[in-house]
Amino acid sequence: MAEGQGRNRIPDRKLMRVLAGEPVSPPPAWMMRQAGRYLPEYRATRAEAGSFLDLCYSPDFAVEVTLQPIRRFGFDAAILFSDILVVPHALGQDVRFVEGEGPRLDPMDGRAAFERLKRADDPAVLAHLAPVFETVGRLRAELPAETTLLGFCGAPWTVASYMIGGRGTPDLAPARALAEGDTALVDALIDRLVAVQTAYLIRQLRAGADAVQIFESHAGTLPRALPRPADATDPVEPVGDVTESALPAEAFEDAPEDALTRWSLRPIARMIAGVRAEVPDARIIVFARGSGLDGHARVVPETGADAVGVDWGVDLAALRARVPASTVTQGNLHPETLIAGGDALDAEVDAILRATVAVPHIFNLGHGITPQTPVAHVERMLARLRG
């Protein structure tokens, strides 16, 4: 078995024990965006690297910023430093990051733009991502033995919404409008992303990642549950050991047909099935932000994920009461509470610990840490958690 694929070879990694269903006290901890602008050492490395994409694609810089929060805080997991938009970049879409504004892409606003994208079987797609795989391998070699290494990618709907709209928008109006106006085109894009990102996660796991997270950042902003046109799927496009037609949507028709299943959970389930076809013991976390209490409760049973990431808008105690005791949860500290610090932070940490007594849980935020967060508040959070 390739390096990074065996569950049983890493019993000393607390986070992996939790992903296997074992309650651990205190729970293992990491933070989404833990390598970020709140850290002075990150800001220095970011300035040295030049552009944000240079930071993502340079293994030297990406390894360094991934390790920085581990050195400072001793988190139980390191998450690969990269971005969900390296995948559309690999497909040939122009991607750039504008200082103070975020990502900008040339919008995929019709069939002509879709046809300009690389096919999933183009070897240049995964070749473009080779620096990411090198970063993963080097991280696994440099991290402490007890630290879990997480890879990641975006969920198909979230990535598609950026590709269609050219940027993030509060209501995702361009992506939703295209899904309504040309459903077959959006389904074809989703299918391509399912195939490419399945192969991408497989390669991360084979390079040394212990587990992976799929970020569905826009699960709360979806088109209607439109019927899937018969001509939606592209012809077979092999990507390593995966093809776009190897994981047909019809394989998941038992799930209720609503917008969350149609656009989010079903494509994620296809990805997870594809990953496990090649890496049977892969551990996978799904973060379906904005999907509400009902949506969070459906993530594990409808996708086959090992854990559900819980956003800050969900009552964690209510979710734990709703799901089987064996369900692994992750989150859901409010990033603004971490900014506030003090007694409010202590109280929220304590509430999360009360809600997860004797059940498998990974301590995390309910969204990414923000640049204005004081480092001292992260230290206080961890001190409170670790007792």
Side-chain angles (χ1 to χ4, degrees):
M1 181 174 290
E3 179 73 11
Q5 295 179 49
R7 290 174 179 169
N8 296 327
R9 72 177 184 83
I10 48 174
D12 56 327
R13 292 179 186 154
K14 289 172 61 177
L15 192 141
M16 296 302 290
R17 287 162 51 198
V18 173
L19 285 178
E22 177 184 343
V24 174
S25 181
W30 68 282
M31 299 189 306
M32 288 181 281
R33 296 183 188 161
Q34 65 188 24
R37 287 177 290 168
Y38 74 105
L39 290 177
E41 56 266 44
Y42 171 89
R43 295 194 297 271
T45 305
R46 169 73 174 80
E48 184 182 356
S51 75
F52 180 77
L53 285 176
D54 287 336
L55 188 62
C56 292
Y57 289 132
S58 166
D60 287 344
F61 288 127
V63 167
E64 170 58 23
V65 295
T66 302
L67 293 174
Q68 286 169 353
I70 305 304
R71 296 189 194 112
R72 184 183 276 269
F73 302 116
F75 285 120
D76 296 288
I79 185 164
L80 163 72
F81 185 85
S82 186
D83 194 271
I84 64 171
L85 298 182
V86 297
V87 170
H89 199 219
L91 286 167
Q93 191 169 21
D94 183 62
V95 178
R96 57 214 176 268
F97 286 78
V98 179
E99 196 67 35
E101 297 182 17
R104 295 290 182 270
L105 301 83
D106 288 347
M108 196 218 81
D109 51 6
R111 289 178 177 259
F114 178 73
E115 292 301 326
R116 288 194 293 271
L117 296 175
K118 292 182 176 71
R119 289 174 58 87
D121 59 351
D122 188 331
V125 175
L126 291 181
H128 181 97
L129 299 167
V132 177
F133 309 135
E134 179 183 342
T135 298
V136 171
R138 288 173 55 179
L139 281 168
R140 185 61 276 165
E142 294 190 34
L143 282 166
E146 68 273 14
T147 306
T148 295
L149 175 57
L150 299 173
F152 76 95
C153 73
W157 168 250
T158 289
V159 177
S161 70
Y162 279 101
M163 294 179 72
I164 294 166
R167 60 188 297 175
T169 60
D171 59 359
L172 304 186
R176 294 168 64 207
L178 188 62
E180 294 271 351
D182 194 342
T183 307
L185 175 60
V186 176
D187 276 322
L189 177 59
I190 293 284
D191 288 345
R192 188 163 300 187
L193 289 169
V194 166
V196 171
Q197 296 193 138
T198 298
Y200 183 44
L201 292 183
I202 290 168
R203 288 286 295 273
Q204 290 184 42
L205 289 160
R206 288 178 172 166
D210 299 302
V212 293
Q213 176 158 313
I214 299 173
F215 285 86
E216 182 69 285
S217 302
H218 299 319
T221 314
L222 300 165
R224 294 181 300 130
L226 300 161
R228 181 181 172 91
D231 62 343
T233 303
D234 276 358
V236 175
E237 298 186 13
V239 189
D241 299 312
V242 181
T243 68
E244 289 195 20
S245 64
L247 307 168
E250 293 74 16
F252 301 92
E253 285 183 346
D254 290 341
E257 185 65 38
D258 63 3
L260 184 64
T261 294
R262 170 73 170 85
W263 297 106
S264 178
L265 299 185
R266 182 172 294 163
I268 292 171
R270 294 167 62 200
M271 286 179 61
I272 291 174
V275 170
R276 295 232 176 93
E278 297 301 320
V279 187
D281 58 359
R283 294 295 192 192
I284 302 172
I285 306 164
V286 170
F287 178 57
R289 177 174 170 248
S291 60
L293 178 62
D294 178 67
H296 279 69
R298 290 164 52 187
V299 164
V300 169
E302 287 196 29
T303 69
D306 295 286
V308 54
V310 186
D311 72 37
W312 57 262
V314 170
D315 184 321
L316 182 58
L319 178 63
R320 290 291 346 177
R322 178 91 170 263
V323 300
S326 59
T327 299
V328 181
T329 49
Q330 175 180 276
N332 71 324
L333 186 80
H334 200 310
E336 292 181 4
T337 306
L338 188 56
I339 295 172
D343 292 342
L345 175 58
D346 292 346
E348 191 164 342
V349 170
D350 292 349
I352 290 170
L353 292 177
R354 284 194 303 272
T356 56
V357 171
V359 295
H361 182 75
I362 299 163
F363 193 91
N364 205 319
L365 306 185
H367 197 211
I369 187 171
T370 58
Q372 62 268 43
T373 304
V375 168
H377 292 186
V378 179
E379 294 169 341
R380 178 170 182 149
M381 175 192 76
L382 291 172
R384 187 78 175 187
L385 173 68
R386 294 165 175 168

